[in-house]
Amino acid sequence: MHRRRFIEEGYSTMEMFSGTMRFLLILFFSCLFCLGKATDCGGKSVAQTIVVDQQGKAAFTTVQAAIDSVKSNNDQWVKIHIKPGLYM
């Protein structure tokens, strides 16, 4: 139905595709931008910062150990800062 209207008004299939792709790209990047932000849950601030350093200059040398150190029933924000390195 819509395609016929576009064709009757002189739009080519490529123009319809271009417009649709432009819309989808804008939608995608909008969602991506929103997902990249930290969500504020009621104004709570970070209660603890855990640092991971592969060289042993911090409390943890593996990311998994840092994650495991957070209590399972934790109700506060915990930030895990991962220093540069190759973690496997």
Side-chain angles (χ1 to χ4, degrees):
M1 183 72 171
H2 294 289
R3 184 169 186 250
R4 185 180 335 147
R5 190 185 86 217
F6 281 118
I7 291 171
E8 288 172 357
E9 292 178 10
Y11 292 100
S12 70
T13 305
M14 195 59 156
E15 288 173 323
M16 288 188 301
F17 178 75
S18 175
T20 303
M21 285 304 294
R22 191 174 319 130
F23 170 75
L24 291 175
L25 281 172
I26 290 170
L27 182 64
F28 173 75
F29 283 113
S30 297
C31 291
L32 191 63
F33 179 73
C34 292
L35 292 175
K37 291 183 177 180
T39 305
D40 182 13
C41 295
K44 293 181 182 179
S45 60
V46 174
Q48 178 184 7
T49 299
I50 298 172
V51 180
V52 180
D53 184 85
Q54 199 175 31
Q55 305 300 319
K57 298 177 183 176
F60 297 96
T61 57
T62 66
V63 176
Q64 188 61 55
I67 293 171
D68 292 342
S69 74
V70 178
K71 296 185 294 182
S72 62
N73 61 348
N74 180 48
D75 63 348
Q76 297 181 337
W77 284 92
V78 176
K79 174 183 174 182
I80 299 178
H81 177 82
I82 303 170
K83 298 252 181 154
L86 182 61
Y87 297 89
M88 292 188 202

